[in-house]
Amino acid sequence: MSNPYEIAQLGAKVLRQHAELVDQVDSPDIRQIINAMQTALAATEGVGLAAPQISRLKRIIIVASRPSSRYPNAPLMSPTIMINPVFEALSDDQEKDWEGCLSIPGIRALVPRYKAIQVQYSDEQGCAIEQKLEGFVARVFQHEADHLDGKVYLDRVESSADIISESEYFKLFTH
Ligand code: NI
């Protein structure tokens, strides 16, 4: 599938850098980054995207859980733009589940994440939003927030045995 925006691939320096806080949400520059992220994500079957993945080092993510061939069991939600997102775990409980990343094609891995988190972010209008997220959506949030700190999901894998090829991953869902 062709994408009008190049998704930075593992090895690109931009994926290992710390993204800057957005200080003025309502600006042409930020608007342009958000539009670019929406366009880039829409061209994929991804469930989230972080600005560094289109080589923009700003603290902006999109969380867009939806069932697709890449994530057959994902819940459906409307894509949500989150600016300067932060979170706190609501308990120490973590669970391992499969993740992939548009910046690391061809593989999946089991990644431990907090099951329930309280998140804060600014929306596109600059309103402060607080929400409780659980399960898969909480996982996507934590994955995308990591990108803002120069981390990728492979950094959190407990064992290299938890990393598999995407073709083997798809076999898990087709019986
Ligand atoms: Ni990713």
Side-chain angles (χ1 to χ4, degrees):
M1 205 178 309
S2 76
N3 198 314
Y5 292 93
E6 197 180 336
I7 306 281
Q9 299 293 292
L10 187 65
K13 273 197 189 120
V14 72
L15 292 176
R16 293 309 196 172
Q17 291 172 330
H18 194 84
E20 293 171 352
L21 276 173
V22 174
D23 48 20
Q24 200 191 341
V25 170
D26 185 19
S27 71
D29 185 41
I30 296 304
R31 166 62 26 209
Q32 192 276 331
I33 294 173
I34 290 170
N35 287 343
M37 289 174 68
Q38 288 170 319
T39 304
L41 184 59
T44 73
E45 293 204 314
V47 291
L49 191 73
Q53 292 182 277
I54 57 161
S55 303
R56 305 302 297 266
L57 282 167
K58 292 289 182 187
R59 301 188 81 80
I60 307 170
I61 64 174
I62 302 179
V63 176
S65 176
R66 52 187 164 157
S68 68
S69 63
R70 291 188 82 237
Y71 294 96
N73 299 324
L76 180 64
M77 64 179 279
S78 42
T80 306
I81 292 148
M82 302 179 177
I83 299 165
N84 298 333
V86 294
F87 77 95
E88 265 177 50
L90 289 171
S91 83
D92 290 337
D93 282 357
Q94 296 200 358
E95 65 187 346
K96 283 207 265 184
D97 206 348
W98 295 106
E99 294 186 21
C101 182
L102 296 170
S103 295
I104 312 173
I107 63 167
R108 298 299 177 102
L110 283 171
V111 185
R113 299 283 187 190
Y114 293 111
K115 289 162 85 165
I117 58 176
Q118 185 77 20
V119 308
Q120 289 182 321
Y121 58 90
S122 168
D123 70 10
E124 284 173 280
Q125 282 72 45
C127 296
I129 309 285
E130 264 200 64
Q131 268 181 302
K132 183 183 173 185
L133 300 181
E134 292 177 297
F136 186 76
V137 179
R139 173 171 299 279
V140 174
F141 181 100
Q142 290 169 82
H143 174 118
E144 301 310 335
D146 268 353
H147 277 302
L148 304 181
D149 294 326
K151 287 199 184 77
V152 299
Y153 75 96
L154 293 179
D155 302 335
R156 297 197 181 274
V157 168
E158 287 175 346
S159 158
S160 53
D162 286 340
I163 304 173
I164 67 172
S165 70
E166 201 159 60
S167 55
E168 288 298 318
Y169 168 80
F170 285 130
K171 287 183 194 167
L172 298 173
F173 293 99
T174 49
H175 301 289

